Amino acid sequence: MTDAEASAPAVTLGILIFPGFPMACLTSCIEPLRAANEIAGREAFRWKVIAEDEGPVESSARVSFAPDCTLTEAGDLDLLLFTASPNARFAIPARANAALQRYQRGKTRLGAISGGVFALARTGLTGENPLSVHWCYEAAFQAEFPDLPAQSTVICEDGAYTTISGASAAFDHMLTLIETQLGGDIMAEVACWFQHPYIRSAAAAQKTPAHDTAKSKDLLPKQVERAIEHFTEHVESPIQISKVAEAVGVSTRSLERSFKEATGQSPLKYYRKIRMKQARQLVLYSNTPVTEVAFMVGYATPGAFLRHYRESFGITPIADRRAKNSMRVKGSDALPS
């Protein structure tokens, strides 16, 4: 560690938690910073768990956390990150926005982790800043905020905001802060403490799963990966499998064979699963009417959509939404982190 690093002032992180927040996002911020302080032998990082109001806040795992302070009382912060479910909102938006604007005037950088990006976007403060959105929330985010630029990188720091796609990416970002504050040696030691060997850059693409396989999409054969990209780009306006095969430079039969070998299913069935997955995002994480969801994922009439949704998830869209809302009322909005 250099003398400059040893004498640098402490960095203070605020973590703003909402009811139903993913607990992993909180611990992925605090634990690497705690370890860095211990290794460095000094308080290079401080953190505060913040809530809109006093009183315990229950996470999606039903573990409650007592905040250190409220949003209006947090004092000086270098970075304030929202962590929340996609459905989270401030109880008193005007009061919260006034506090957030005071932080920004005081040079606090705002940001969000995972579903917290929804609460951040709902403040209306982000303007045209690009925001990192977890792949599992992308459809719901674009439906609610069609004019906001969403990115598929693990972290986005372009512009005035820091948005982080999930808990693992939050750990990556904390390691970057540690390297800046304390140097690469301590950062590497922290990473090794937690057996976190691969530190992704902010520009790294999010890993997305290949349906019904043990692989991520980028590990599939190239023609299959490219075909999936075409499917994803044509959810609202369905494209014929023959056109997709032509676009990736193979015959329809060859594409069908490659899909069967790589995923165990036909391209058509895989394509339908993509559309159903996107539909379920909209059902669970938006208030879009179910009939409109059907049109948004390429169905001309609701009948076939309702049948395919039930075949895919064993429940109707309306019942699925009601079940999710019931869990949310109980404080158990289980979400990816």
Side-chain angles (χ1 to χ4, degrees):
M1 188 192 314
T2 66
D3 291 341
E5 289 164 347
S7 61
V11 171
T12 302
L13 169 66
I15 308 163
L16 178 61
I17 58 175
F18 292 76
F21 75 96
M23 191 166 62
C25 293
L26 177 65
T27 58
S28 289
C29 290
I30 293 175
E31 282 299 293
L33 301 185
R34 173 200 60 80
N37 284 350
E38 188 170 337
I39 293 167
R42 69 180 185 88
E43 191 180 54
F45 296 96
R46 300 174 184 144
W47 49 86
K48 298 178 181 179
V49 178
I50 302 166
E52 184 177 6
D53 295 304
E54 296 178 351
V57 179
E58 190 175 79
S59 71
S60 61
R62 297 190 179 183
V63 177
S64 293
F65 289 79
D68 297 311
C69 56
T70 66
L71 182 60
T72 57
E73 303 168 339
D76 293 337
L77 301 170
D78 294 292
L79 176 63
L80 175 61
L81 295 175
F82 293 38
T83 179
S85 79
N87 308 98
R89 298 175 184 274
F90 284 111
I92 306 178
R95 183 183 66 183
N97 271 26
L100 294 171
Q101 289 170 330
R102 285 196 300 272
Y103 286 119
Q104 288 184 304
R105 289 194 294 271
K107 306 305 180 185
T108 298
R109 188 174 178 91
L110 301 185
I113 309 171
S114 191
V117 72
F118 285 80
L120 177 62
R122 289 183 187 121
T123 66
L125 298 176
T126 60
E128 296 181 354
N129 282 264
L131 306 171
S132 175
V133 178
H134 194 293
W135 61 265
C136 75
Y137 300 139
E138 184 179 6
F141 188 86
Q142 290 180 343
E144 185 172 351
F145 308 105
D147 297 325
L148 294 186
Q151 291 197 352
S152 59
T153 54
V154 292
I155 300 166
C156 180
E157 292 189 279
D158 296 343
Y161 297 85
T162 296
T163 45
I164 303 170
S165 58
S168 180
F171 200 106
D172 290 328
H173 189 62
M174 295 305 114
L175 291 175
T176 299
L177 294 181
I178 292 167
E179 182 175 23
T180 301
Q181 187 77 350
L182 296 173
D185 288 347
I186 289 180
M187 181 273 286
E189 189 167 348
V190 171
C192 290
W193 270 29
F194 294 95
Q195 293 297 296
H196 193 86
Y198 176 59
I199 303 162
R200 294 170 294 179
S201 70
Q206 295 179 38
K207 287 277 189 180
T208 55
H211 302 309
D212 295 338
T213 76
K215 297 179 180 179
S216 58
K217 191 170 67 177
D218 60 324
L219 294 179
L220 295 174
K222 286 299 178 186
Q223 68 269 29
V224 174
E225 181 185 353
R226 289 171 58 204
I228 292 172
E229 290 173 0
H230 281 279
F231 292 158
T232 304
E233 292 166 1
H234 291 83
V235 170
E236 189 170 348
S237 53
I239 187 173
Q240 293 181 344
I241 302 301
S242 60
K243 294 293 185 183
V244 174
E246 182 180 340
V248 302
V250 297
S251 68
T252 302
R253 180 170 293 183
S254 176
L255 183 63
E256 290 175 345
R257 184 168 56 250
S258 297
F259 253 90
K260 191 71 175 177
E261 291 174 354
T263 71
Q265 55 198 299
S266 69
L268 184 61
K269 186 176 180 181
Y270 195 97
Y271 190 14
R272 182 181 297 171
K273 287 198 172 187
I274 289 176
R275 294 163 68 194
M276 287 295 101
K277 291 284 188 180
Q278 185 153 320
R280 200 174 197 209
Q281 285 186 42
L282 295 166
V283 167
L284 297 183
Y285 305 125
S286 80
N287 295 318
T288 307
V290 169
T291 53
E292 190 174 333
V293 171
F295 299 138
M296 291 172 71
V297 296
Y299 284 83
T301 61
F305 168 72
L306 295 173
R307 184 174 70 256
H308 289 161
Y309 194 100
R310 186 160 193 164
E311 288 173 358
S312 297
F313 306 115
I315 191 171
T316 66
I318 292 174
D320 208 6
R321 179 174 281 174
R322 284 175 180 163
K324 184 69 171 179
N325 289 338
S326 174
M327 289 178 66
R328 194 177 303 130
V329 167
K330 296 175 183 177
S332 179
D333 199 1
L335 299 158
S337 56

